[in-house]
Amino acid sequence: MFRFESDRDLIESFRPRDLRVMEMPPGLTFPLFVRDYLAWTETSGLRVYLIFSAPGSRKPIGIIFRRDSMGGENVTRMCEWCHHSGASSEVTMLTTDVTNKRRVGISLCADLQCKERLEDAANRAGRHTLEALEQLRARMFRFANEALGIELEPAA
């Protein structure tokens, strides 16, 4: 769980390179408490925003993904974070810049609503969602760390 006191705090969770394309979600009020993660799609539908914290951390990490067009192919894919399977309109390649000349991509739910899918699956199976959500945040951080070089700051 983490908290944003203002829109400035939210903006500062993103890498400086992402700020040039930043679009705030409509209707946010501050202070804003985020339990697991916050995700939204910009009005154009081109970019998907994610803010999460790594397990054991309260420092928010923001990543802006671009939805890359896959040429209209209608194939089934699996989200690498929540393991939801769906058509290419549901699970798609999301990419983000590492440098000016390098992008990385990952197959994810197009709307990043993995939490809702995990909670639904756990409720139908009669399981608690806490472990699944911890694993989801761990997968998010593994991507941020391995693909983008984002590291945890040492605890104060």
Side-chain angles (χ1 to χ4, degrees):
M1 177 192 267
F2 51 93
R3 173 182 169 151
F4 294 115
E5 294 295 331
S6 68
D7 58 346
R8 181 151 200 73
D9 292 338
L10 185 143
I11 291 167
E12 288 176 354
S13 67
F14 289 93
R15 299 174 298 160
R17 70 175 309 104
D18 290 336
L19 298 181
R20 62 184 166 72
V21 297
M22 181 81 190
E23 181 180 304
M24 293 289 286
L28 284 186
T29 57
F30 296 93
L32 175 66
F33 293 91
V34 179
R35 189 179 71 165
D36 295 302
Y37 69 92
L38 177 65
W40 71 95
T41 302
E42 73 180 16
T43 52
S44 72
L46 179 64
R47 291 185 184 86
V48 183
Y49 298 77
L50 171 69
I51 304 174
F52 69 99
S53 63
S57 173
R58 291 187 173 212
K59 182 184 182 317
I61 298 168
I63 302 173
I64 300 176
F65 289 100
R66 186 171 71 197
R67 286 185 183 162
D68 285 348
S69 172
M70 297 303 285
E73 60 191 56
N74 192 17
V75 297
T76 301
R77 292 194 175 95
M78 185 176 76
C79 174
E80 293 187 39
W81 287 350
C82 71
H83 303 145
H84 169 72
S85 291
S88 55
S89 60
E90 290 179 61
V91 179
T92 190
M93 179 66 67
L94 297 181
T95 63
T96 189
D97 292 332
V98 177
T99 67
N100 288 339
K101 296 181 179 185
R102 187 168 159 247
R103 298 180 65 74
V104 293
I106 184 171
S107 290
L108 298 174
C109 291
D111 58 5
L112 291 181
Q113 297 304 309
C114 298
K115 173 184 171 182
E116 287 77 7
R117 291 176 180 94
L118 288 172
E119 287 175 339
D120 182 55
N123 288 337
R124 283 187 277 118
R127 294 187 321 258
H128 195 280
T129 61
L130 187 59
E131 182 180 338
L133 294 175
E134 278 292 306
Q135 290 173 352
L136 173 63
R137 288 180 33 235
R139 289 181 188 112
M140 291 174 172
F141 180 70
R142 187 171 33 252
F143 173 80
N145 177 254
E146 292 174 2
L148 304 175
I150 296 173
E151 296 185 4
L152 281 178
E153 290 185 0

